[in-house]
Amino acid sequence: MADVELRHLKTMAAIAEEGTFGRAAGRLGYTQSSVSQQIAALEKAVGGAVFDRPGGPRPVRITPLGEVVLAHGRELLTKAEALADAVDRFRAGNGRIDIGTFQGATKLILPAVVRRLLEEHPACDIRLSEVGPEDPQIGDLDLLFHYGRIEGDVEHVELLDEPYLLVARAGVFPDGPVRVELLDDAPMVAWPPTDHQKWLERALARAGARPRIVFRTAGHETIVSMVRAGIGSAVLPWLGLHGSDVWSDDRLSIHRLRPTPASTWYLYWPTGRTQSPLATRAIDIAVEAANGLADQM
């Protein structure tokens, strides 16, 4: 069988969907004679007719051979579109970048990345997606922010170490850093037992404290509101408190812990994949933004 051209398959698919050579020509921007020539070339390549042509305005009918050719041809067209998409993603300035993220990075690092990329490459296509913490997979993503180590063929850069702070009602603990063991059996408000919360509670236990969890609820602001109410203290990440009013609230006190639980933020990308200029630039911006946050901490 001679080589089959993708444009011939695309024309065949258009005819099958439109029903006539004329309508397919109008859809594709070809003349009807050009469409006829392409189908003739395709039929020569596959060795038989792919359409029965009843003539006149009546719709053409696909032949059994045509059904085989069209089924496999559509698979080839799909792969060709994927190839074109991959090339577009690599092209700087007009490319596409897919970034996986989590809430903290979305709030504090990604705005700088997105803003700068769009300023430098206004036509770029930025796609963001939230990636669950339980089993993060980089898959087809170009970059993945995550606050823990992940398995697989990935490379990474460490962005920052985020300390956890003790938030308590004013006067419950003396000013200054607080030893972790003082939290043993102390009433505490905490997140539900997510993987990250379990990690935090294990870290506290290794340092000698098993707080008495009196309430679990999602959301840093909700937890802080319960601390204000006096039900217990809380251990929360520094960046989770960033920009909130807890620092100026005289009903609350914020303390460093000794030793300090800390979570490392990473930025990952696939090993062995040639990075697009957009991905390379995004990494540089993310590192710069993370360094600025680290300086504040």
Side-chain angles (χ1 to χ4, degrees), residues 243-265:
S244 74
D245 62 356
V246 299
W247 306 94
S248 58
D249 191 333
D250 58 11
R251 294 168 294 176
L252 299 171
S253 62
I254 301 175
H255 307 264
R256 288 275 184 171
L257 288 167
R258 295 289 185 268
T260 304
S263 173
T264 303
W265 289 22

Side-chain angles (χ1 to χ4, degrees), residues 22 37 84 90 98 105 110 150 153 159 184 192 216-217 221 229 262 274:
Q37 290 170 7
F90 184 79
D98 291 79
L110 267 178
I150 66 174
D153 295 328
L159 295 175
D184 191 45
R216 291 189 185 272
T217 183
E221 292 182 3
T274 301

Side-chain angles (χ1 to χ4, degrees), residues 138-270:
I138 198 160
D140 293 330
L141 296 170
D142 298 298
L143 300 172
L144 171 61
F145 290 91
H146 187 57
Y147 48 77
R149 298 304 302 269
I150 66 174
E151 302 298 326
D153 295 328
V154 292
E155 299 178 50
H156 72 273
V157 62
E158 292 188 14
L159 295 175
L160 54 86
D161 289 321
E162 178 185 24
Y164 276 67
L165 304 175
L166 174 64
V167 183
R169 275 184 63 87
V172 172
F173 295 95
D175 293 341
V178 173
R179 298 294 303 177
V180 169
E181 56 260 31
L182 293 180
L183 303 182
D184 191 45
D185 200 41
M188 182 166 290
V189 186
W191 274 77
T194 62
D195 286 352
H196 206 62
Q197 181 64 28
K198 291 177 183 177
W199 164 83
L200 173 61
E201 291 176 22
R202 288 194 300 268
L204 295 176
R206 285 193 298 269
R210 296 183 182 276
R212 178 165 38 90
I213 308 298
V214 295
F215 184 44
R216 291 189 185 272
T217 183
H220 298 321
E221 292 182 3
T222 305
I223 291 173
V224 169
S225 69
M226 291 294 98
V227 175
R228 286 193 185 99
I231 192 174
S233 302
V235 176
L236 295 173
W238 187 93
L239 292 172
L241 303 173
H242 181 69
S244 74
D245 62 356
V246 299
W247 306 94
S248 58
D249 191 333
D250 58 11
R251 294 168 294 176
L252 299 171
S253 62
I254 301 175
H255 307 264
R256 288 275 184 171
L257 288 167
R258 295 289 185 268
T260 304
S263 173
T264 303
W265 289 22
Y266 299 89
L267 181 56
Y268 293 93
W269 58 89

